[in-house]
Amino acid sequence: MTLIKSISGIRGTIGGKPSENLTPLDAVKFAAAYGIWLKEYSKKEKLKVVIGRDARLSGEMIQNIVVSTLVGLGIDVIDLDLSTTPTVEIAVPLEAADGGIILTASHNPKQWNALKLLNEKGEFLDAEQGAKILAIADKEEFVFSEVDDLGTILRNDSYIDIHIDEVLNLSLVDKEVIKAAKFKVVVDGVNSTGGIAIPKLLEELGVEVVKLYCEPTGHFPHNPEPLKEHLGDISALVIKEKADFGIVVDPDVDRLAFISNDGEMFGEEYTLVACADYVLGKTKGNTVSNLSSSRALRDITEKHGGTYEAAAVGEVNVVTKMKATNAVIGGEGNGGIIYPESHYGRDSLVGSALFLMLMAEKGGTVAELRASYPSYFMSKKKIQLTPGLDVDGILVAMADKYKDEEISTIDGVKIDFAENWVHLRKSNTEPIIRIYTEAKSQAEADKLADRVISEIKEVAGL
């Protein structure tokens, strides 16, 4: 049980003691801190905030608390109710709102929830803004509105449909081209809002949809992080249904993974590679991903004549780098597609449409497409943090140990070897050290990760 405060938002487990977990009191405190910061930041008399949530079990409770807290501050709320992270992101500017809050713990299990905070562009706050909100929350010097100045609540449950229309209107998405390909696709919505949004989008595009876990009950049928070890059911169903491929999303629909026609993982890292391949083939330009993402994106970008750059982990860092380099597409290797023509946020609806266009134009199978890309294999492991563990000291020691290699310290420590790399960093969303490696074979990637874990334990005296 824990409460984590970071630039990714305020995230914690439901129940337990205030300030140790995400309790109703903590939800009030951080929602109020955001509202007070927003008043100072926007310098406006009357504010409007968009709220949406995934389908997790605690969602309605947290939503009611957050909405009522903002109303108590005199802020008007547009309540999207069941929604997706990218849907809330596009709703903020469309509604000319001053900010937004998404109630979701993303890929975390059902006991978790979180407040993800957006600015007036529908983009995540930067570290400095997040720090100001945390400082306001710590002081707890809240002043709420008097009765005549309370905010109002407007329910609007049409935004998933509006979001789908926005995707259909993208210049590189042609509904008729996709419809003519007569795709059959299995969708695993992990019993959250992806089970609403993705099938609706695919049906609009003329795709035959086979639904798996698409009821938004919040009872996740498997670990909601879209990794191979959690996706046996959809892999089997893709083969059984003789589907062209499968689509898997996390509970808030900002991470996208594909299952190839042979039931194998396309690879979360290759979601961005494939979408970038399609976009760069139509629009010359640059790409950005984070330090923990595959080298394959760099290879594809350079093949199309563009320049690739790496940002620190965290969507806000990738977006900042994308804007600085005028990137035409970017994202994160965990299946997050950021396509600026739509908006600066990870969006599984946009990614699904771009991938369908790529497949419709290329022909062949998804397995053949995957085989056509540079072949890298990743290992993603973690070490659970214990109280008193000096993470910063461990990272410094590891950087020193490999000081003769190419080192980046903009986000933890990344060590680039000639044939592979390892990235060590403290997670923003869980009490762990993440150890990501990439190599030319799975065995090599796993071996490198295990070696580094042993070295970390030796340094830490574990």
Side-chain angles (χ1 to χ4, degrees):
M1 295 294 182
T2 190
L3 184 68
I4 299 170
K5 310 165 194 175
S6 75
I7 62 166
S8 296
I10 297 92
R11 183 180 300 234
T13 48
I14 298 296
K17 296 179 180 178
S19 79
E20 293 180 9
N21 311 88
L22 187 58
T23 69
L25 291 179
D26 295 291
V28 170
K29 185 165 80 167
F30 289 110
Y34 172 73
I36 287 167
W37 170 80
L38 201 58
K39 288 182 176 185
E40 295 171 358
Y41 170 74
S42 66
K43 297 180 172 59
K44 287 167 66 175
E45 280 294 311
K46 195 64 180 169
L47 299 181
K48 183 163 56 173
V49 170
V50 178
I51 306 283
R53 66 179 176 93
D54 70 15
R56 64 185 60 234
L57 300 173
S58 61
E60 190 173 2
M61 176 192 75
I62 297 293
Q63 174 188 7
N64 290 336
I65 292 166
V66 169
V67 168
S68 296
T69 301
L70 295 178
V71 167
L73 285 167
I75 296 171
D76 293 338
V77 172
I78 299 169
D79 180 6
L80 308 189
D81 198 35
L82 286 174
S83 190
T84 78
T85 285
T87 304
V88 176
E89 289 170 348
I90 68 155
V92 171
L94 286 176
E95 289 291 329
D98 302 288
I101 302 178
I102 309 147
L103 306 172
T104 173
S106 196
H107 63 273
N108 289 70
K110 69 176 183 179
Q111 63 267 35
W112 290 77
N113 212 328
L115 282 66
K116 290 185 175 182
L117 310 175
L118 304 175
N119 63 18
E120 78 283 2
K121 297 175 184 175
E123 297 170 14
F124 285 112
L125 307 187
D126 62 31
E128 183 183 347
Q129 293 167 332
K132 286 179 180 175
I133 291 167
L134 294 179
I136 293 168
D138 283 343
K139 286 181 182 173
E140 296 190 29
E141 294 174 355
F142 307 128
V143 179
F144 289 90
S145 296
E146 295 182 12
V147 69
D148 292 329
D149 300 320
L150 297 176
T152 60
I153 304 169
L154 175 68
R155 267 299 274 282
N156 187 338
D157 59 5
S158 65
Y159 255 95
I160 286 178
D161 293 326
I162 294 168
H163 188 177
I164 289 169
D165 288 341
E166 292 276 309
V167 174
L168 297 178
N169 287 330
L170 292 172
S171 60
L172 294 187
V173 175
D174 188 327
K175 178 177 176 176
E176 296 308 317
V177 169
I178 294 171
K179 190 175 180 181
K182 293 184 165 56
F183 290 117
K184 182 179 185 180
V185 176
V186 180
V187 176
D188 179 351
V190 72
N191 284 343
S192 190
T193 49
I196 304 170
I198 299 295
K200 264 192 174 186
L201 170 68
L202 297 186
E203 285 160 2
E204 281 288 327
L205 290 166
V207 175
E208 181 184 347
V209 179
V210 179
K211 295 181 183 179
L212 176 68
Y213 307 137
C214 284
E215 291 296 319
T217 62
H219 289 283
F220 304 147
H222 55 76
N223 185 308
E225 189 164 13
L227 303 177
K228 180 177 182 177
E229 56 267 31
H230 309 146
L231 301 177
D233 290 352
I234 186 172
S235 294
L237 193 55
V238 166
I239 294 170
K240 181 184 173 187
E241 291 284 342
K242 296 184 172 60
D244 292 290
F245 61 98
I247 290 177
V248 185
V249 291
D250 65 338
D252 70 324
V253 204
D254 61 359
R255 285 176 66 173
L256 174 65
F258 299 118
I259 309 295
S260 296
N261 53 293
D262 56 5
E264 294 296 318
M265 289 291 292
F266 187 74
E268 251 196 323
E269 292 291 326
Y270 285 82
T271 301
L272 177 54
V273 173
C275 292
D277 188 20
Y278 174 67
V279 169
L280 292 169
K282 308 284 184 183
T283 315
K284 296 301 177 191
N286 305 321
T287 65
V288 173
S289 64
N290 67 38
L291 284 165
S292 286
S293 301
S294 175
R295 283 182 181 175
L297 179 61
R298 179 197 65 186
D299 296 349
I300 289 295
T301 304
E302 291 173 354
K303 186 189 91 172
H304 285 287
T307 301
Y308 165 80
E309 290 202 37
V313 173
E315 186 170 318
V316 65
N317 300 317
V318 174
V319 166
T320 299
K321 180 75 79 172
M322 286 179 69
K323 290 177 177 179
T325 59
N326 292 315
V328 294
I329 190 169
E332 298 190 282
N334 61 10
I337 305 298
I338 302 174
Y339 184 48
E341 188 188 319
S342 177
H343 64 115
Y344 278 105
R346 294 180 300 170
D347 192 329
S348 295
L349 281 77
V350 169
S352 295
L354 295 176
F355 187 79
L356 284 162
M357 285 299 299
L358 175 68
M359 288 306 303
E361 291 195 354
K362 271 191 181 284
T365 68
V366 171
E368 288 165 349
L369 175 70
R370 175 64 181 82
S372 73
Y373 291 133
S375 200
Y376 294 103
F377 296 83
M378 292 190 82
S379 177
K380 299 183 179 183
K381 302 197 176 188
K382 58 185 83 169
I383 296 176
Q384 200 73 31
L385 295 184
T386 54
L389 197 63
D390 181 7
V391 178
D392 294 332
I394 290 168
L395 296 179
V396 168
M398 293 301 290
D400 186 59
K401 181 179 176 69
Y402 289 102
K403 60 181 181 291
D404 294 334
E405 304 292 342
E406 185 182 332
I407 300 273
S408 169
T409 56
I410 64 168
D411 182 12
V413 176
K414 184 172 184 181
I415 308 158
D416 265 294
F417 304 103
E419 292 294 315
N420 48 44
W421 56 258
V422 59
H423 188 199
L424 315 171
R425 58 182 291 274
K426 187 177 178 181
S427 172
N428 287 330
T429 57
E430 297 176 72
I432 56 174
I433 298 176
R434 296 191 185 277
I435 299 100
Y436 285 10
T437 62
E438 183 174 69
K440 291 292 182 75
S441 74
Q442 192 61 57
E444 191 184 340
D446 290 337
K447 185 178 175 185
L448 177 58
D450 290 340
R451 188 188 89 202
V452 170
I453 287 170
S454 295
E455 291 170 355
I456 289 172
K457 287 181 175 177
E458 193 177 318
V459 165
L462 296 175

